[in-house]
Amino acid sequence: MLDGCTPWPPELAGKYRAEGYWAGQPLDVLLRDGARNHPAKTALVGPTGTRWTYAELDARADRAAAGFLAAGIARGDRVVVQMPNIDDFVVTIFALLRVGAPPVLALPAHRESEIVPLCELSEATAYVIADSDDTFDYRTLARTVTKAVPGLRHVFVSGDPAEFTALPDAAPVPLDAPDPGEVALFLLSGGTTGTPKLIPRTHDDYLYNARASAEVCGLTAETVYLVALPAAHNFAFACPGILGTFAAGGTVVLAPNPSPDVVFELIETERVTVTAVVPPLALLWMENAEWSDNDLSSLELLQVGGAKFSAEPAGRVRETLGCQLQQVFGMAEGLLNYTRLDDPEELIVTTQGKPLSPADEVRVLDADGNDATEGELLTRGPYTLRGYYRADEHNKRAFTEDGFYRSGDLVRVLPTGHLVVEGRVKDQINRGGEKIPAEELENHLLAHPLVHDAAVVGMADEVMGERICAFLVVKGETPALRDVTTFLRARGVAAYKLPDRVEVLEEFPLTTVGKVSKKALGKLLEED
Ligand code: OOB
C-alpha cells in the first residue's frame, strides 16, 4: 500500500477476500461493466442537460485518462479535485482511477485555508477544478494555491482554463489495471484537530462500500439517483450515490444546487427515484413540497444523514414527500449504518440504522472503557480505515491497539442492532451535516489581533441541529461578529466554518485538569 497508509492485517484481509467482501477488482469496474453490459443505457445526466450513455461516459474517462498520462500525471501521483456537480467531475474521477493517481476529494465550499494544507499533506502534483459556478471563480483560488504550493505542477480546468490547462483529452491508450488492495482515492475527514486528515480508501474497500450500499438501498437498473449534495461527499458519491447507482446499472442525475425549485423540477422531468440529503435540506424540501406544483410521485426513497434527523420531522416524510425515509449514519472513515427498507416504521423514524455489513464489528464503550449499550462507538471492518494518511501520532489516539476506529460518536444500541446517535465526545461541531473541527477554527481565531484566547462550541438550533458560537477572551476592544467573519474569510476559511455568534468572557471556565471546559461553555448558552 502507498507509503503513509496503514494496511489491514493479513488475517483480516484474507478473511474479507475469502468471504467475498473484497472482490479483487479495480473500482472503475463499475463503469467498465456498465459499458459492456448496457452500453446504450443513460449513465449520467449533467446539470446543463448533457445525457451520456454508459459507453460514452466510459469512452470519455478513457480519453481523459490518456490525456492525464500524456500531461505527465503518473501512477501514484495524488491529484486534488475540487469541482461542483458537473459531468466532468465524474469523468475526472474515473480517469484518475484508471491512471492510478488517487484523487483527493475536496468540497466546492473549501477555500485557500483548506485546499493549501490538503495539497501539502497529499503532496499533490495536480489540482483539478471547474472554471466557476454560480457563486465562485475557482481559478482565482487556483492562483493563490499555486503560489503557496510550489510542488503543484498542473492546474486542470473544466470550462475556460484562462492561464491554466484545459481538462486533457487524448486518444485512449492501454492502461495497466491498478492493484485492488491499493489506495483508489482519498476522502477528507470531518476532523477534530488543527490540521486536515486524509482517509485512504482502497479499490477493494470502496467497491464493496458502493455495491453493498446499492443492495441494501434496493437500487436497480430502474433507479434514477439525484445528486443533490456535493458529489464529492462520501454520502452522495458512494452511499450508494453515484458509484452505487452505476453498480446497479441505473441513471445518475446531477443537480447544480439543492434548492427546492431546482431539485423538484429535476425530480419531475427525470423521474428521480432516490436521493440523499442532510437534515436541514430535508426540512426545507418538506416545507416547500406543500406549495410545489411539481409532480414528485416518482420519488421512492429519501435518504437523510450526516447529522441527526429528529423523530418528529422523520415521521412526516411520507405524508409530505410521498416517499419512504431511510436514515443513514455514516462517516467518511468507513462504517455506514442504514435503516432497512423493510424495517418497522418506528425504527426508521427513531433510529439512525444498523451497520451495513455482517463483517462490521461494532463496540460501544462507556466512559470507563467497559462494553456497554450506551457510550462511544468504535468500529472496524472491511471498509473502515485502519489509519489516517501520514498521521502516526494522531492514529495512536484515534485507533485502539487492535485496530478499532474511535468514532467520537455517542450511541445507544437497541436489541435489534439499530443505533441511536445520542451525542459525541469529539471536539467537532456538526452544522447541518457540515463538520467543523473546533481546534482548526480556534487556531484561525487566535490569529486575530484582538483575540487572546478562543473556544468554539455548538449551540442548539432547530433547523441546523447546531450553529457555531465562538467564545473569546479579548485584548482590550471587543470585535463584532462581522469583524471576526470578515477576518476569517480573508484568511481563506470556508464559509460554513464561520461563527454564527461571538461571546466575550473575562476568562474561560476550566475543567479539574485545567483545560477549557466546553461543557461549561455549552451550559452558558443553554442558560441564555
Ligand atoms: C457523513 O460523513 P462525515 O465524514 O461527513 O461525518 C461523519 C460524522 C459521524 O461520525 C457523526 O458524527 C455524524 O457525522 N453523522 C451523524 C449522522 N450521520 C453522520 N450524526 C447523527 N445522525 C446521523 N444520521 O456525515 C456521512 C457519510 C456517509 C453517509 C452519510 C453521512
Side-chain angles (χ1 to χ4, degrees), residues 188-190 199 233-236 239 279 304-309 327-336 338 352 405 407-409 421 423-424 426 428 430 433-435:
L188 265 59
S189 166
I199 300 162
H233 192 281
N234 186 35
F235 193 7
C239 308
V304 182
K308 175 105 172 224
F309 193 38
Q327 294 214 40
V328 187
F329 162 37
M331 50 202 80
E333 281 78 2
L335 181 72
L336 300 172
Y338 293 99
Q352 281 63 58
Y405 166 61
S407 72
D409 292 314
V421 180
R424 61 166 183 261
K426 55 187 167 189
Q428 181 187 70
N430 187 337
E434 295 187 298
K435 314 300 176 336

Side-chain angles (χ1 to χ4, degrees), residues 67-259:
F68 279 126
L69 278 172
I73 306 299
R75 169 154 302 190
D77 281 1
R78 273 82 62 194
V79 178
V80 173
V81 176
Q82 185 187 28
M83 293 167 117
N85 293 358
I86 54 173
D87 28 34
D88 271 344
F89 168 78
V90 182
V91 173
T92 299
I93 298 299
F94 276 95
L96 292 170
L97 289 175
R98 286 179 183 177
V99 170
V104 179
L105 300 194
L107 297 174
H110 288 146
R111 293 295 175 261
E112 179 192 345
S113 95
E114 287 88 18
I115 300 293
V116 168
L118 267 186
C119 291
E120 288 172 344
L121 173 61
S122 65
E123 293 181 1
T125 56
Y127 177 36
V128 187
I129 55 175
D131 50 4
S132 60
D133 60 20
D134 292 351
T135 54
F136 188 65
D137 189 329
Y138 294 90
R139 293 164 301 190
T140 318
L141 178 56
R143 284 175 197 124
T144 318
V145 173
T146 45
K147 269 199 206 105
V149 189
L152 208 55
R153 292 202 303 269
H154 312 268
V155 176
F156 298 105
V157 184
S158 163
D160 173 4
E163 73 269 37
F164 303 114
T165 312
L167 263 195
D169 178 57
V173 293
L175 299 158
D176 296 329
D179 170 359
E182 197 40 88
V183 178
L185 49 85
F186 288 95
L187 299 178
L188 265 59
S189 166
T192 53
T193 62
T195 51
K197 296 285 174 292
L198 288 176
I199 300 162
R201 302 293 306 250
T202 66
H203 292 270
D204 269 330
D205 102 61
Y206 216 45
L207 185 58
Y208 174 64
N209 184 114
R211 282 181 172 157
S213 294
E215 194 179 325
V216 104
C217 298
L219 302 200
T220 68
E222 308 308 312
T223 294
V224 180
Y225 177 91
L226 181 75
V227 186
L229 294 174
H233 192 281
N234 186 35
F235 193 7
F237 191 53
C239 308
I242 297 173
L243 296 187
T245 303
F246 289 165
T251 299
V252 170
V253 178
L254 297 168
N257 70 65
S259 67

Side-chain angles (χ1 to χ4, degrees), residues 441-457:
L441 182 51
E442 287 158 3
N443 287 343
H444 284 299
L445 289 164
L446 284 171
H448 191 290
L450 293 175
V451 173
H452 172 68
D453 205 354
V456 301
V457 295

